[in-house]
Amino acid sequence: MRSTVHHSALSIHHSALVSNSDIDEAVAILKRGGLVAFPTETVYGLGADASNPEAIGRLYAVKGRPAAHPVIVHLASVTQLEQWVREITATARKLAQQFWPGPLTLVLRRAGGVADALTGGQDTVGLRVPSHPVAQALLSQFGGGVAAPSANRFGHVSATTAQHVRDEFADAVELVLDGGQSEVGIESTIVDVTGERPVLLRLGHISAREIEDAAGASLAAPNEAAPRAPGGLAAHYAPRTPLMVMEADLLLELAASLIAQGSRVAVLARSALRPLLPGLEWITAPADPSHYAHDLYANLRLLDAAGCQAILVERPPQGMAWAAVNDRLSRAAVGSREP
Ligand code: TXA
Ligand code: MG
């Protein structure tokens, strides 16, 4: 997979869809404690002023998120990092240098003033400098940190377009900055860099190998002392329709038998050819992992909205290039099951 995501340089036109006055309005909303959804190159974030505990409270309420789940603080530049952490470790420096701005979140020991509300009471804070030009414009003009979880209701599929965000929250969010479709399409890679060796807390577009190469150290396994990343919960990223991941031959068999019983079936295929059956909602996903990830949440949302009784996903290949996609699919499968 590509390790960097290139956007056209920040210009007065942050994006065809967002004007300077939209950025002004977004900054004003954040300053008065309101919520603004904004694009990043991974997924859309739902942002609040990270130095305002009331705003963070509102953020958790709107998202429906339990208070113990820490949230990522977004910064315009690596130069702001020292305000948020006690120590910038050598590994943090190397990874920030290589991947920021970009789809990487670093977990470090938090500085004194960092609110409990951001960290779930843990001693660490998650920080990210995104590259999307609209996020960059918002963050640099706002000046401070913006706390932003993915802009979806807790446990649900993340949003990769402004419309997805509106579908999730309707009027509960004051402003959605529309920066087009997120380029990466899945959430940032999260790395705990508090210790000598990096610990991978969440898979993403930046692979384990790339993290090891940039850090000059092999990954350490997470242990009990490692920070919790509840996004690592087994059930997450889930559509409302039950989702199952399986091989193509089994998928075709199951689709046919469900349809014979009168069900409608949604399919996210890769290699399987669409059979001539009624009651089938069929999407053929891109063949390579980057494009597959780019389209994944939009595809799941389309299939989820099709009124089917099941979503059957053809299992992608195994291996490192597909690890992040397979991670999201397996959590979506767990999360979509009835408790
Ligand atoms: O790509 C992304 O990371 C997006 C965009 C908006 O930046 N954000 C995102 O946020 O995915 P959220 O809240 O949906 O997931 C953040 C993950 C959670 O799994 C959380 O547990 C973990 O980051 N996290 C945040 N702070 C942490 C900390 N101090 N220690 C361990 N995990 C942390
Ligand atoms: Mg999330």
Side-chain angles (χ1 to χ4, degrees), residues 139-227:
L139 292 165
S140 51
Q141 195 167 319
F142 179 66
V146 172
S150 52
N152 55 277
R153 293 191 190 268
F154 183 67
H156 194 221
V157 180
S158 299
T160 52
T161 68
Q163 189 56 49
H164 293 163
V165 180
R166 293 186 206 107
D167 293 346
E168 287 285 311
F169 297 110
D171 296 334
V173 175
E174 279 183 72
L175 178 66
V176 181
L177 295 173
D178 187 344
Q181 184 159 7
S182 294
E183 192 169 345
V184 172
I186 56 172
E187 304 77 3
S188 60
T189 304
I190 305 182
V191 186
D192 167 12
V193 285
T194 53
E196 244 163 66
R197 287 166 65 199
V199 179
L200 191 54
L201 297 181
R202 183 173 69 188
L203 296 165
H205 179 75
I206 298 170
S207 70
R209 172 96 28 87
E210 289 174 300
I211 296 294
E212 290 184 327
D213 287 348
S218 58
L219 291 169
N223 62 32
E224 310 239 305

Side-chain angles (χ1 to χ4, degrees), residues 33-45:
L35 307 182
V36 173
F38 63 97
T40 84
E41 67 279 16
T42 56
V43 298
Y44 275 67

